Amino acid sequence: MISVLFCSRAKDNPDFGLPRLLDSAVEHIAPHERDQIEFLIKFDDDDDARPSDVELARYPFRVRTFCWSRGEGRHALHHAQEYLFAQRDPRSRYCLMTADDFYFTRSGFVSEFLADRSEFSIYGYCRPPIEAYAGRYEQEDRKSTRLNSSHRT
């Protein structure tokens, strides 16, 4: 199972991309994969332009919506992500945290992801060579700590 988690806002948002995202999922998810993916979407309670449950029910895979106040906008994004993560299907092996301007371009990605037994995976058009950076994060952290502590007054 793959859980796709994101926030969306239609009202006053010229970049609202939810229909494109879900339509691209229809195009690239094979019929036999549709029960292996779910979309969990948080909407703002003042967003009266958001799609109705009837509109979202037309998609051939599970779309679950949640709605509460805007809160602090982007500053509260991690709260929404944590909540959606807690609501995911317990069978979920992968979580894709994205935004509604994302769209799918890779047919068969559900089966491909679920066949991958790695603990962590990165997929994309051009995969970065993350292994080349092994250990550098920790070194940078120590270096910046030394710099910050030497400039204290």
Side-chain angles (χ1 to χ4, degrees):
M1 173 71 75
I2 299 171
S3 298
V4 183
L5 318 174
F6 58 97
C7 299
S8 186
R9 182 170 178 86
K11 184 177 184 175
D12 301 325
N13 182 4
D15 297 320
F16 177 65
L18 181 60
R20 179 175 137 174
L21 185 157
L22 294 176
D23 291 344
S24 73
V26 170
E27 180 181 350
H28 293 286
I29 298 172
H32 71 277
E33 297 174 325
R34 291 176 179 163
D35 64 342
Q36 293 298 310
I37 191 165
E38 65 176 350
F39 293 82
L40 285 73
I41 309 166
K42 186 268 182 187
F43 290 106
D44 299 330
D45 61 2
D46 69 339
D47 186 357
D48 52 16
R50 69 181 179 262
S52 69
D53 290 340
V54 171
E55 291 173 277
L56 295 173
R58 75 177 177 86
Y59 290 99
F61 34 72
R62 189 174 184 191
V63 178
R64 297 174 56 203
T65 61
F66 304 85
C67 187
W68 63 83
S69 68
R70 282 178 91 168
E72 298 175 5
R74 290 188 179 145
H75 299 289
L77 179 60
H78 64 281
H79 295 298
Q81 290 174 334
E82 289 170 1
Y83 182 82
L84 295 174
F85 181 81
Q87 302 305 311
R88 77 194 185 287
D89 187 301
R91 298 172 296 154
S92 187
R93 287 188 43 235
Y94 284 95
C95 287
L96 171 59
M97 293 184 188
T98 188
D100 71 2
D101 59 354
F102 176 86
Y103 61 95
F104 296 97
T105 61
R106 189 176 186 148
S107 294
F109 75 91
V110 172
S111 294
E112 183 179 355
F113 284 18
L114 295 178
D116 185 343
R117 296 295 183 192
S118 303
E119 183 177 4
F120 301 102
S121 299
I122 296 177
Y123 288 90
Y125 177 72
C126 182
R127 183 184 183 280
I130 59 170
E131 294 81 7
Y133 299 99
R136 289 188 186 180
Y137 177 77
E138 293 83 5
Q139 292 170 2
E140 285 295 318
D141 191 42
R142 284 195 301 271
K143 182 179 175 183
S144 66
T145 301
R146 281 195 311 269
L147 288 173
N148 289 337
S149 64
S150 66
H151 294 294
R152 291 187 185 153
T153 55

